[in-house]
Amino acid sequence: MRLAHGAPFAAHAERLRKASIPALLAADAVRARDWSARLGPLSFHYARQRLDRAALAALVDLARRVDVPGAFRRLVDGAIVNLSESRAALHTALRSDLGRGSQVEAARAEVRATRRRMRELRAALVESPVTDVVSVGIGGSDLGPRLVVDALSAHRDPRFRVHFLSNVDGHAAARLLAELDPARSAAVLVSKTFGTQETLLNGRLLADWLGDPRRLHAVSANPGRAVDFGVPAAQVLPMWDWVGGRYSLWSAVGLSIALALGDVHFDALLAGAAELDAHVLDAPPDSNLPTLHALLAVWNRRALGLPTSAVLPYDQRLALLPSYLQQLLMESLGKSVRANGAPVDGPTSPVVWGGVGTDVQHSFFQMLHQGTDLVPCEFIGVMRPDHGHVDNHRALLANLLAQSEALANGADADDPARRYPGGRPSTLLLLDALTPRALGLLLAFYEHSCYAQSVLLGINAFDQWGVELGKRVAGTLLPALEDPAAGEVLADPVTRALLLEFRNRR
Ligand code: F6P
C-alpha cells in the first residue's frame, strides 16, 4: 500500500494478513491495557485489531510524515481544505474558539449572532401555540440532527415534538402529516443550497398544508431563495459556504436539536465537540484518538484490503448512527481522485454499514462470524443507561463483550459447519453515559477521524461531486414521466423501455 507520501506498508501487511488476533495478544502481555485511550466520557479500545506494535509504530510515523497534526491546525484555522470548491471547512468554528486569524474570528462572530437568533426564534415559538415542528431536509441537512434528537430523547424538552421529513416519497409526508394538526405545527426547511429537489417539494407540501407562512422557517446559505420560496426573511437563519452539509449539525441546521432538547443541552452538545477539537490540536499522533482511529481504518482498508466496515451500536438510542456515518464517511471518502486531481493509488472509503445490537446478532452476524469476507467491526457501548432495567442492560453489555471476543478468537469444532475461524478485527468505543456532551464528543471524534483518513489518503473530504450526475439525469427525466413525447427523445434505450413500462402500469 502506498499512502499520501508514498509510505510502503506491504511488508507489514504481508506479515500480518493472516495473523491470529489471540496470538498477537498472547505475544504482548500489556497490549490489552496499552491499546486503549480515553478522553472525558469516551474511551477507545483497539487491542483486537490485526496489527502489531511494529505496524502501529509505522502507522503513527506515517501520520507524522503526512503531517496530520498540521492538517488539523490548518482545518481549524480556516485554510482552503476543499480544493475542488476553493473552500474552508470551518465546522470547528461552530463550537470552538480555537481557530486563529481574522477569517475565523469573522466566522465566530457570525456563529454567535446566529446562536442568538436561534434562541430568539425558539423563545418566540415557545410563546406560540406550536407543539410540533417538522424539520424538512435531506442528507447533511437531516441525518445529524435526526440522530441527535433521537439519541438524546431522554433529555427532551416537553414543549415541542420534533419530526423529520427527508424522503421525496410522498408516503413519508402522508404518514407524518396524518399525525399532526396544521394549526399547532411549524416547519423548518433546512437546505444549504435551497436547491435540493426533495426538500423543495416537501417544503412546498408542508407550506401548503400549514397554510400560514408565519409558521415557516428556513436555514440556508442561500437566504434569497428561501425568501423567494415564501419564508419570512426574519425567519431565515444563515448557513455558510465554509460549513459542509454533513458537518453542519452544530450550526443553525441543528435548530431542530435546540427546539427538541432546549438551549442548555444544545450548548452541552457543542461543548463536548469542542473538547474533542482541543484534543485533536493538542495530542500527538500516538495518543490522538481520531488519528489512531483513522490510522486503523486506513490500515484495514488499504493495507489489509478489507472492503467494508460495520458500525454496531449496542444502544437502541444510537440506532441512527450507522446511517449518519454512512454519509459522513462515504460521501467524504468515496473518491477516486486525490485532492490534486490525480488518480488515487489504492482503495479509499470502505462500504460502511451496520445496525443496532443485539438485533443484528440475529440477522447479519452469521456472515460476520463465518462468512468469506472479513469485516472490521466497530462496537459502541454505553455504560450507564437512562432506564432502570438492570437485567436488560447487563445482558446487553454481556452480548457486546461476547461478540467482540468471539469474532476475534473463534472456536474450533470437528464439524466444519460449526467451526468459527476467528481473526475478525474489531474496536470498541465506550461512553460513560449518553449525555449531550458525550454525544457531541463522539460525533466530533468521527468527524476528525474522517478528516484524518482523507489526509492520509491524500483526498478531499469536503466535496461530493459524485452525487451530482444522478440529480442531473433525474431532472432531465422528470418531464418524460408526464409527457410520452419527451421520453421518446431520450438517448438511453433501457430508460426509454422502462418509461414505457411505467406508463403502461400506472
Ligand atoms: O446530495 C448530497 C448533498 O449535496 C449532501 O452533501 C447534502 O448534505 C445534501 O445533498 C443536502 O443538500 P442541501 O442542504 O443543499 O439541501
Side-chain angles (χ1 to χ4, degrees):
M1 126 176 137
R2 295 201 156 259
L3 289 166
H5 283 201
F9 274 82
H12 287 297
E14 206 41 57
R15 182 167 49 79
L16 292 158
R17 188 159 288 123
K18 296 246 156 54
S20 135
I21 293 174
L24 288 169
L25 279 155
D28 185 344
V30 286
R31 171 171 161 146
R33 186 202 64 199
D34 281 5
W35 287 28
S36 68
R38 186 174 174 113
L39 181 71
L42 172 71
S43 61
F44 173 44
H45 307 264
Y46 50 96
R48 285 202 179 108
Q49 287 292 321
R50 189 181 280 194
L51 78 171
D52 59 11
R53 283 185 193 259
L56 184 62
L59 285 171
V60 169
D61 185 49
L62 173 74
R64 287 201 191 94
R65 280 185 295 118
V66 173
D67 193 18
V68 172
F72 281 135
R73 187 74 253 178
R74 286 194 296 283
L75 178 83
V76 173
D77 286 347
I80 302 296
V81 287
N82 177 353
L83 289 180
S84 76
E85 296 175 291
S86 292
R87 289 178 183 168
L90 265 174
H91 42 284
T92 49
L94 298 169
R95 59 221 186 187
S96 305
D97 268 322
L98 301 164
R100 301 173 304 197
S102 55
Q103 185 206 351
V104 186
E105 265 161 39
R108 286 288 297 156
E110 292 198 51
V111 169
R112 280 192 293 271
T114 306
R115 287 287 290 124
R116 274 196 298 279
R117 288 189 60 201
M118 285 169 73
R119 285 193 197 95
E120 286 161 12
L121 223 147
R122 184 172 195 285
L125 276 170
V126 167
E127 294 304 313
S128 79
V130 167
T131 53
D132 290 84
V133 179
V134 182
S135 180
V136 183
I138 199 162
S141 294
D142 172 64
L143 291 163
R146 192 192 280 261
L147 161 66
V148 173
V149 169
D150 191 46
L152 297 179
S153 62
H155 300 266
R156 196 167 275 169
D157 181 326
R159 263 170 289 206
F160 300 111
R161 283 185 298 267
V162 171
H163 314 267
F164 292 90
L165 181 60
S166 55
N167 196 341
V168 77
D169 180 353
H171 292 108
R175 277 189 186 174
L176 174 63
L177 299 188
E179 291 172 17
L180 304 179
D181 172 3
R184 301 180 69 81
S185 299
V188 186
L189 314 188
V190 185
S191 177
K192 182 175 171 182
T193 55
F194 226 81
T196 302
Q197 183 194 48
E198 292 93 329
T199 302
L200 294 183
L201 277 168
N202 279 330
R204 178 57 54 214
L205 199 152
L206 255 283
D208 293 348
W209 176 79
L210 285 172
D212 182 350
R214 285 172 305 177
R215 275 179 283 115
L216 274 185
H217 307 76
V219 179
S220 183
N222 205 332
R225 279 196 191 163
V227 171
D228 291 348
F229 183 93
V231 182
Q235 289 170 198
V236 181
L237 295 179
M239 249 282 262
W240 305 276
D241 275 352
W242 43 262
V243 182
R246 53 192 174 276
Y247 301 86
S248 68
L249 72 94
W250 326 97
S251 71
V253 167
L255 179 63
S256 50
I257 303 174
L259 292 174
L261 308 181
D263 292 320
V264 171
H265 290 318
F266 189 62
D267 287 344
L269 183 84
L270 301 187
E275 281 178 60
L276 211 288
D277 295 339
H279 169 78
V280 292
L281 291 180
D282 287 350
D286 61 353
S287 58
N288 191 300
L289 271 68
T291 302
L292 288 167
H293 188 262
L295 287 169
L296 295 170
V298 168
W299 169 258
N300 282 327
R301 184 70 192 99
R302 271 268 167 118
L304 299 184
L306 306 180
T308 84
S309 163
V311 180
L312 306 165
Y314 270 60
D315 193 302
Q316 194 63 43
R317 298 166 297 175
L318 292 173
L320 298 178
L321 185 66
S323 309
Y324 164 83
L325 288 179
Q326 281 178 326
Q327 189 203 16
L328 178 67
L329 297 167
M330 295 207 279
E331 202 164 81
S332 299
L333 305 175
K335 312 286 164 66
S336 299
V337 292
R338 294 165 58 98
N340 64 9
V344 293
D345 53 4
T348 53
S349 178
V351 174
V352 179
W353 58 294
V356 69
T358 59
D359 285 358
V360 291
Q361 288 177 200
H362 303 272
S363 61
F364 57 72
F365 266 50
Q366 164 63 37
M367 179 270 189
L368 294 184
H369 284 284
Q370 289 187 318
T372 49
D373 280 308
L374 221 60
V375 180
C377 293
E378 181 138 288
F379 293 92
I380 298 115
V382 180
M383 294 313 299
R384 291 195 300 274
D386 280 335
H387 60 72
H389 307 296
V390 179
D391 292 343
N392 288 60
H393 193 60
R394 205 178 286 135
L396 180 72
L397 293 182
N399 276 281
L400 164 61
L401 277 179
Q403 292 299 332
S404 165
E405 181 183 313
L407 284 164
N409 298 354
D412 212 357
D414 291 337
D415 177 357
R418 289 175 163 77
R419 203 171 290 150
Y420 301 86
R424 285 145 202 252
S426 65
T427 50
L428 171 59
L429 290 169
L430 268 188
L431 294 173
D432 291 336
L434 194 57
T435 60
R437 171 192 168 209
L439 185 61
L441 210 135
L442 179 72
L443 299 184
F445 164 85
Y446 278 119
E447 284 182 350
H448 286 306
S449 166
C450 179
Y451 174 58
Q453 288 178 57
S454 77
V455 173
L456 293 162
L457 298 167
I459 59 178
N460 179 356
F462 301 109
D463 61 6
Q464 59 282 320
W465 295 107
V467 301
E468 293 305 322
L469 177 60
K471 292 182 192 172
R472 220 160 57 219
V473 177
T476 327
L477 290 182
L478 194 57
L481 281 162
E482 263 318 302
D483 172 12
E488 274 149 29
V489 301
L490 292 171
D492 187 286
V494 178
T495 304
R496 270 204 315 273
L498 285 171
L499 272 173
L500 199 63
E501 177 92 11
F502 280 18
R503 264 197 299 280
N504 292 338
R505 290 170 65 164
R506 279 215 283 181

